[in-house]
Tab-separated table of all heavy atoms in Angstrom:
chain	number	residue	atom	x	y	z
A	99	ASN	N	72.065	86.589	87.124
A	99	ASN	CA	72.513	86.078	85.788
A	99	ASN	C	72.472	87.157	84.632
A	99	ASN	O	72.486	86.888	83.397
A	99	ASN	CB	71.794	84.865	85.280
A	99	ASN	CG	72.263	83.674	86.019
A	99	ASN	OD1	73.292	83.441	86.363
A	99	ASN	ND2	71.314	82.710	86.304
A	100	THR	N	72.277	88.463	85.093
A	100	THR	CA	72.269	89.538	84.101
A	100	THR	C	73.738	89.711	83.554
A	100	THR	O	73.818	90.350	82.561
A	100	THR	CB	71.729	90.755	84.569
A	100	THR	OG1	72.449	91.064	85.804
A	100	THR	CG2	70.240	90.653	85.020
A	101	ILE	N	74.708	89.292	84.232
A	101	ILE	CA	76.014	89.421	83.702
A	101	ILE	C	76.287	88.640	82.557
A	101	ILE	O	77.052	89.001	81.636
A	101	ILE	CB	77.099	89.074	84.861
A	101	ILE	CG1	78.479	89.539	84.504
A	101	ILE	CG2	77.016	87.511	85.080
A	101	ILE	CD1	78.769	90.976	84.602
A	102	ARG	N	75.534	87.506	82.406
A	102	ARG	CA	75.660	86.723	81.204
A	102	ARG	C	75.150	87.436	79.960
A	102	ARG	O	75.754	87.341	78.866
A	102	ARG	CB	74.802	85.466	81.400
A	102	ARG	CG	75.060	84.261	80.452
A	102	ARG	CD	74.245	83.160	80.687
A	102	ARG	NE	74.426	82.499	82.025
A	102	ARG	CZ	75.346	81.607	82.241
A	102	ARG	NH1	76.103	81.149	81.296
A	102	ARG	NH2	75.385	81.180	83.451
A	103	THR	N	74.018	88.201	80.191
A	103	THR	CA	73.486	88.893	79.076
A	103	THR	C	74.470	90.041	78.700
A	103	THR	O	74.679	90.323	77.430
A	103	THR	CB	72.193	89.501	79.454
A	103	THR	OG1	71.202	88.502	79.861
A	103	THR	CG2	71.495	90.292	78.321
A	104	THR	N	75.070	90.663	79.589
A	104	THR	CA	75.994	91.748	79.299
A	104	THR	C	77.208	91.289	78.637
A	104	THR	O	77.697	91.740	77.589
A	104	THR	CB	76.525	92.217	80.655
A	104	THR	OG1	75.457	92.878	81.420
A	104	THR	CG2	77.733	93.352	80.419
A	105	PHE	N	77.761	89.950	78.952
A	105	PHE	CA	78.885	89.521	78.123
A	105	PHE	C	78.477	88.928	76.756
A	105	PHE	O	79.292	89.043	75.917
A	105	PHE	CB	79.519	88.356	79.046
A	105	PHE	CG	80.267	88.738	80.309
A	105	PHE	CD1	80.474	87.762	81.290
A	105	PHE	CD2	80.676	89.987	80.424
A	105	PHE	CE1	81.129	88.138	82.425
A	105	PHE	CE2	81.322	90.393	81.530
A	105	PHE	CZ	81.655	89.479	82.715
A	106	GLN	N	77.237	88.586	76.665
A	106	GLN	CA	76.763	88.161	75.296
A	106	GLN	C	76.672	89.454	74.422
A	106	GLN	O	76.842	89.417	73.250
A	106	GLN	CB	75.524	87.456	75.398
A	106	GLN	CG	75.546	86.091	76.005
A	106	GLN	CD	74.182	85.434	76.118
A	106	GLN	OE1	73.209	86.114	76.031
A	106	GLN	NE2	74.281	84.149	76.423
A	107	ALA	N	76.178	90.572	75.002
A	107	ALA	CA	76.026	91.801	74.303
A	107	ALA	C	77.369	92.519	73.946
A	107	ALA	O	77.435	93.180	72.909
A	107	ALA	CB	75.059	92.768	75.006
A	108	VAL	N	78.234	92.422	74.794
A	108	VAL	CA	79.550	93.038	74.689
A	108	VAL	C	80.710	92.028	74.466
A	108	VAL	O	80.902	91.166	75.233
A	108	VAL	CB	79.981	93.926	75.988
A	108	VAL	CG1	81.280	94.632	75.695
A	108	VAL	CG2	78.800	94.889	76.303
A	109	PRO	N	81.255	91.974	73.201
A	109	PRO	CA	82.183	90.875	72.876
A	109	PRO	C	83.402	90.844	73.826
A	109	PRO	O	83.887	89.801	74.151
A	109	PRO	CB	82.638	91.292	71.448
A	109	PRO	CG	81.465	92.164	70.838
A	109	PRO	CD	80.936	92.885	72.022
A	110	SER	N	83.833	92.091	74.353
A	110	SER	CA	84.958	92.118	75.178
A	110	SER	C	84.488	92.229	76.623
A	110	SER	O	83.933	93.227	77.065
A	110	SER	CB	85.823	93.352	74.836
A	110	SER	OG	86.871	93.568	75.661
A	111	ARG	N	84.825	91.147	77.341
A	111	ARG	CA	84.505	91.231	78.740
A	111	ARG	C	85.341	92.282	79.562
A	111	ARG	O	84.838	92.927	80.380
A	111	ARG	CB	84.784	89.908	79.362
A	111	ARG	CG	83.911	88.806	78.967
A	111	ARG	CD	84.082	87.524	79.828
A	111	ARG	NE	83.117	86.443	79.412
A	111	ARG	CZ	82.977	85.327	80.008
A	111	ARG	NH1	83.730	84.994	80.957
A	111	ARG	NH2	82.129	84.431	79.563
Side-chain angles (χ1 to χ4, degrees):
N99 286 324
T100 55
I101 195 73
R102 192 183 302 273
T103 305
T104 299
F105 288 159
Q106 289 174 346
V108 182
S110 173
R111 291 188 180 187

